[in-house]
Each structure stands twice: as structure tokens, then as C-alpha cells.
Amino acid sequence: MIAKVTDDIIRRSEPTRRAYLDQMDALAKTGPARGHLGCSNLAHAYAAMGDDKTTLVADRAPNLGIITAYNDMLSAHKPYETYPNLIKEAARKVGATAQVAGGVPAMCDGVTQGEIGMEMSLFSRDTIAMAAAIGLSHNTYDAALFLGVCDKIVPGLVMAAASFGHIPAVFLPAGPMTSGLPNEEKAEVRKQFARGEVGRDELMKAEMAAYHGVGTCTFYGTANTNQMLMEFMGLHLPGSSFVNPETPLRDALTVAGTERALEITGLGNDFRPASQVLDEKAFVNGMVGLMATGGSTNLVLHLPAMARAAGIILDIDDFAQLSAVTPLMAKVYPNGLADVNHFHAAGGLGFMIKELLNAGLLHADSTTIAGQGLEDYSKEPKLIDDKLVWTDGAGETLNDKILRPVSDGFQKTGGLQSLDGNIGRAVIKISAVAEERRFIEAKARVFHDQEGVKAAFKAGEFTEDTIVVVRFQGPKSNGMPELHGLTTPLSVLQDRGLKIALVTDGRMSGASGKVPAAIHMSPEAADGGAIAKIRDGDLLRLDAESGELVNLTEGFEDREAAVADLTANAHGLGRNLFQNFRNHVSPATSGASPIV
């Protein structure tokens, strides 16, 4: 199946991929761009470089462009404050140079959940891609280093790396924060607050104990799924994804990543441009990693957009076919009680990659920044006598409650499933959904925003099995915000013994999953999709095992689609600036992007 899916992608993508590679090859053949610039152009580029000017003017050593998502209101990106100086010094030691080419915005979905700002979250991915492209447009770099971790930041940076695919791209992670209050305990306090059993002071205490320091949140949401993906796709150094920030090993990996970027430029003998790394095999490897780890549903949006930037066309059926043959090997919150630090300690990505390679579930010959083939990624980095070395990773799981071999997975298939039927196409994350909850046939209750759901919950209106439909939440409507605020009330209803599911053209984050949620519905309601024809009381069926999502009500398809007043989505907190994005965004099934 791995070969079949890859061949399908190659055939489907042949015209666009060929055109892309021809463009990248033409750019690469011109050599280091700064060698063709005029003296005045170069003077502007080098004016602030101090003692590095001599090296830059000599034009014999590589120059790295740093794209950074640093800010100090995101825990995951705070560690990047010190990276540029560390990178520059590492470059100097080998006679090379590095410059901060530009910064990109990095917003936190955890801050904007349920707020207006969340309506710009998905489009921030495409803004990041464009901002990174502007930084690199000075065209004076032999390779690019990308500093970014979280939800939309890494996908946006990959899109930019693909657009500048004629030079190498190395991604340098910052790592997860150390473990705090266990995620399950935090979730329980949230539910207690929703039930009115504890006050806001107890809720705030729990949240602050969970999100307590620098680094990514420790649950297996989109940010940490991104880090997994960069390793499976060969854009990180092996074993670097889940090393905690502000540790000697973390700094050593940053230095090593800088040195590797310098080794693989066109000035050396091991040229590895991003266009060669970001090929069909890399994206298949990434999708397999997504299934094996039960990763975030957001990547079903991001991977197609990332791939299209490299001339590759993915379809949600690719995800479903790979899920059917990939066992779920990890149980990390919300799919289990462990966090990513526990996962890493149990053997982590190195163990998983080794197992999947041995089972023939990954392309072993893929091109990576580290070398040829994924075998390097079964090793783990260590500091021995202050020297960074890679040793053999765990040969067996060190905790089978968190991590299991291919032969004994937590379930036989991956964590994601595609859904199809007369309502449209959608995706569902089932790795955290109990088997008895994967089928539901119940009446619909329709809402046009998540606040309506919360109000109905508080009023005690949910008294029977229900499929909650939240529409006009797609990219054309309002930028496709995450509806993570629904997780707690829907979970409470499920805990009361009701069968509950969600159907929406919006998103749910990688933090969600115990309530069956059919998300990314396409066509969306604002595009005339059939989700706009559902009425209160319609009988719906959601079968996550068979991939069926249908409205069983007679005459459903003959109805007029509902229309919503979306004018309020066009102003406030800069939303007016994104009207062009909303007008031209592609469907969720092809990445929900206005630029690729």
C-alpha cells in the first residue's frame, strides 16, 4: 500500500511536480546569488555585519539565512531568542557566516481559542510563508535555517522552504517544556469548572501548572505533531525533536544543525536542496508518521498545502489508505495519559522509525538533510564527554503503555479516517475515540457558531443522543477557526452517558479527540455545501470505522442551502485585512490555502 499510494501521488502530481523541479533546477544552476549582485546591492546586505564583512565579501564561504519565529509571548518560541547568536558563532568557527534574514509572525491558538483572533489563525500559515519568502528574497543565502515550532508556523515555513527549494533548508526545533500538571488532571478540572463544581481560581491554578515554562505544550497536539513530521520528513537532525529547551544537548543540536546546513550547500560536495528532500516519498513518510502516532487533524489540512508548494498533490484518500495499513503505535495525551516527554523517554521517534522501516511501512531510501535514507533517524543524539554523537536508539519499547512495536500496536490502523457521504467529505481523528463511540445514529442539532452550542449546554437542552452540527466555520466563512472550546461541554455530555458527535466545516485541534468529530467538512456551508441543508431533527449517521457520514432524512438533498449573515466576520482585530484570503481560499480537502 505504501508503494501504491506513492505511485498514485507521483502520477497525479507529474505535471505540477515537473514544472516545479524545472524552476528549482534553473535557480540552482545560477550558483550563489550574491555572486551576481552589484557592489551597491552587496554593501546594503553586509553593512551591519561587522567583522563578518570580510568573509562575506570574499564570497568563498557559505552564508546562512535565518528565518525566525521568535517572540516572548509564546512558550514554544521563547527559546529562539538565543539561537541567532549561537548559530552565527557556530558558522564563524568554520569560516562561514549567518544573518537573520527575517522574522515571521507566530500566534498561539491556546491564547486565541474561542476569540476573534482565532479567525486569523489558519491564514497566519500562509502569511508566514509569504513573510519568510520576503526575508529570503534578498537572495544572498546559500541555505536557510528555519526556527519555528507551533501549529501554523512549521507548515508555513515548509511552504516557504519549498518555494526557495533551490537552496537547502534545515529546521531547528526548540523542544517541549518539561512535564507539569498531568494533562488528564488538567482536563478533569476543566470539566469540573464546566459543571460548576470549582471556581475560576482553581481552573487558573490548574492551567498555570500545566503550561508552566518555555517549550511546546507537552500534549500531542499540532505543535508536537509538527516536530514529529519534520523528523519523519528528514528536515530535522535525527532525534532532535523532543529534547527540552535550555539544555546542553539542545544547544549542541542547534550547533550541529548549523554545521550541517553549511555542509549541504551548493558550494560543497553534498548539495541537498529542499526541492530534493521535499519529494513524494517524504510526504508519504510524514503521513505514515501521522497515522502511527495518532497526530493532530490539523496536519490533514497542512500537509496538502505544504505539498502543493512543492508541486505535489495530496488527497484525503491518501491519508485514509495509509491509515488502513499503519498501526497506532503511541498513546500520548489526548490519546493516552502520557505526555511527549514520557513518549521520548520510552524510545520516542527513533524506536518508531526503526520499527516502521523494518515493517516496510516507510520509504527507507528517502533523501534527508542528514544523508541518504531514514536509517539515520533510528539513532538518538547524546552528549558524551561534551561531544555530540549519535548512538543506536532503543531496540524495544521502554514503556508499552505509551509506545508499542508494529506487531503489537494499540490498534491495527492509524489514528485518522476520511469520511464521505451525501453531506460531503470530512476527516475524523479516532485514535482517542473509544471503539463503542465510533458509530452514532442520532438527530441533528444545528448551530452557526460554537457560542450557540455552549449556551444550549448551559441551558440543559441536550437530553438525548445528538449529533451537533456547527456550520459556517469554514475558511470562506471566517478563516476556519478551531472549535476547541466545544471539547469540554461535549465531553461532559458524553460522560453523562449520551452518545454525542460533532459535524463541522471548522477545525478541532490536536488536543481534541475523545468525542467523535467529523471536521473540515467540504464543500463548506459558505460554498453551498450540503452541510448547509441540514435541519434540526434530521437523522444523521456517522460511522468512523466504515468512513460513512450521511443524512438519512428523505428529501434532504433537494432542500435550499441555508444562508448566514457573515458580515460581522469582516472587521475587528484586523480581520478586514484577510478578506482577499477568504474570497480565494481553496477547499479544506486541498489545504485551505489562498496562495498555493
Side-chain angles (χ1 to χ4, degrees):
M1 182 59 71
I2 304 301
K4 176 190 176 300
V5 171
T6 307
D7 288 344
D8 288 345
I9 294 170
I10 290 172
R11 283 193 296 271
R12 185 190 310 141
S13 309
E14 198 282 328
T16 50
R17 178 65 175 171
R18 174 44 48 201
Y20 167 79
L21 290 176
D22 286 346
Q23 293 168 358
M24 295 302 116
D25 289 346
L27 287 167
K29 286 175 182 176
T30 63
R34 65 184 182 281
H36 308 295
L37 294 179
C39 292
S40 177
N41 304 71
L42 292 173
H44 279 287
Y46 303 161
M49 290 299 287
D51 293 340
D52 289 328
K53 283 184 184 180
T54 303
T55 305
L56 282 163
V57 171
D59 197 29
R60 291 190 297 268
N63 182 37
L64 301 179
I66 303 167
I67 298 293
T68 177
Y70 162 73
N71 64 45
D72 62 6
M73 70 84 56
L74 266 69
S75 61
H77 291 85
K78 177 65 165 65
Y80 286 133
E81 182 176 13
T82 61
Y83 274 41
N85 286 339
L86 188 61
I87 290 165
K88 291 176 185 179
E89 185 57 33
R92 287 189 193 107
K93 286 182 178 179
V94 293
T97 52
Q99 297 176 284
V100 175
V104 300
M107 65 181 290
C108 180
D109 290 356
V111 176
T112 59
Q113 287 288 353
E115 302 295 328
I116 289 176
M118 175 58 80
E119 295 183 12
M120 292 179 282
S121 172
L122 177 59
F123 290 149
S124 77
R125 176 195 66 191
D126 303 84
T127 306
I128 287 161
M130 294 189 292
I134 291 170
L136 295 174
S137 69
H138 297 101
N139 212 19
T140 60
Y141 311 110
D142 300 283
L145 293 175
F146 293 93
L147 314 184
V149 175
C150 284
D151 295 20
K152 263 58 67 187
I153 294 87
V154 166
L157 293 177
V158 171
M159 291 163 72
S163 298
F164 280 77
H166 60 290
I167 61 174
V170 174
F171 281 62
L172 300 179
M177 68 178 70
T178 55
S179 301
L181 180 73
N183 288 297
E184 191 74 5
E185 292 183 30
K186 173 198 68 182
E188 181 56 36
V189 175
R190 285 178 175 176
K191 286 192 275 189
Q192 289 174 340
F193 179 75
R195 294 192 295 259
E197 296 171 2
V198 299
R200 186 175 176 83
D201 56 340
E202 287 299 315
L203 176 64
M204 191 65 190
K205 182 179 177 181
E207 298 287 359
M208 294 291 283
Y211 308 118
H212 64 89
V214 297
T216 61
C217 308
T218 58
F219 61 82
Y220 195 53
T222 310
N224 287 316
T225 302
N226 283 338
Q227 301 315 293
M228 172 281 299
L229 198 69
M230 293 300 93
E231 201 149 328
F232 269 77
M233 292 179 68
L235 290 168
H236 276 177
L237 287 180
S240 63
S241 296
F242 298 132
V243 175
N244 299 126
E246 300 178 344
T247 61
L249 180 56
R250 178 82 277 158
D251 287 347
L253 286 163
T254 300
V255 170
T258 303
E259 293 170 345
R260 186 57 183 159
L262 294 167
E263 292 169 353
I264 61 176
T265 72
L267 296 175
N269 297 318
D270 191 18
F271 186 38
R272 294 176 179 271
S275 57
Q276 291 182 12
V277 176
L278 290 168
D279 66 2
E280 295 89 347
K281 291 180 180 179
F283 282 99
V284 169
N285 285 346
M287 287 188 284
V288 170
L290 184 65
M291 302 307 160
T293 58
S296 168
T297 53
N298 277 326
L299 272 300
V300 182
L301 274 178
H302 298 322
L303 274 164
M306 292 154 64
R308 282 176 182 260
I312 297 168
I313 301 173
L314 304 182
D315 187 86
I316 59 172
D317 285 343
D318 299 328
F319 292 87
Q321 290 179 60
L322 292 173
S323 179
V325 297
T326 306
L328 180 67
M329 299 171 63
K331 272 199 174 284
V332 186
Y333 188 85
N335 184 29
L337 299 181
D339 66 24
V340 293
N341 293 310
H342 304 138
F343 165 77
H344 186 62
L349 297 180
F351 171 79
M352 292 189 77
I353 289 173
K354 187 177 185 68
E355 280 286 309
L356 290 164
L357 282 171
N358 289 340
L361 291 171
L362 290 172
H363 289 290
D365 59 344
S366 61
T367 300
T368 76
I369 63 162
Q372 198 61 34
L374 268 187
E375 185 63 33
D376 290 333
Y377 288 79
S378 66
K379 300 182 182 298
E380 60 178 306
K382 292 181 180 178
L383 274 180
I384 300 177
D385 296 329
D386 294 326
K387 183 179 180 180
L388 181 63
V389 297
W390 273 265
T391 63
D392 290 337
E396 58 184 30
T397 176
L398 303 179
N399 187 332
D400 64 5
K401 292 182 175 61
I402 300 171
L403 185 60
R404 289 186 182 176
V406 167
S407 60
D408 185 31
F410 292 99
Q411 61 186 47
K412 293 181 179 180
T413 59
L416 296 172
Q417 173 68 286
S418 62
L419 299 170
D420 206 349
N422 61 0
I423 301 174
R425 300 180 78 193
V427 66
I428 185 170
K429 180 178 179 179
I430 58 174
S431 55
V433 177
E435 289 189 20
E436 65 272 15
R437 298 191 182 279
R438 294 179 185 177
F439 177 91
I440 176 173
E441 194 170 286
K443 292 179 182 179
R445 180 74 190 275
V446 182
F447 301 88
H448 286 186
D449 56 54
Q450 61 179 324
E451 295 308 314
V453 181
K454 294 177 184 178
F457 169 77
K458 290 178 181 178
E461 295 177 12
F462 295 104
T463 58
E464 61 181 354
D465 295 350
T466 306
I467 294 183
V468 177
V469 177
V470 185
R471 61 195 182 195
F472 294 102
Q473 301 299 307
K476 284 185 180 295
S477 293
N478 59 355
M480 205 178 189
E482 283 185 358
L483 306 177
H484 186 42
L486 297 178
T487 302
T488 298
L490 296 182
S491 296
V492 169
L493 293 173
Q494 188 167 264
D495 290 346
R496 290 175 180 169
L498 298 179
K499 295 199 78 171
I500 297 291
L502 174 69
V503 173
T504 181
D505 49 11
R507 294 187 294 128
M508 292 287 276
S509 79
S512 309
K514 292 187 177 181
V515 175
I519 60 177
H520 308 175
M521 179 61 64
S522 183
E524 63 174 287
D527 220 13
I531 188 174
K533 298 181 179 182
I534 302 173
R535 296 176 183 170
D536 285 343
D538 281 2
L539 185 63
L540 308 186
R541 176 189 296 154
L542 191 164
D543 188 341
E545 297 288 356
S546 69
E548 182 185 28
L549 177 59
V550 293
N551 189 328
L552 300 171
T553 307
E554 187 176 352
F556 155 70
E557 296 177 33
D558 298 326
R559 295 174 185 163
E560 290 291 323
V563 177
D565 181 2
L566 303 176
T567 55
N569 299 338
H571 58 82
L573 293 185
R575 286 184 293 176
N576 56 300
L577 301 176
F578 291 86
Q579 186 61 52
N580 200 43
F581 278 23
R582 290 189 290 272
N583 290 345
H584 295 97
V585 66
S586 64
T589 47
S590 57
S593 173
I595 65 172
V596 295

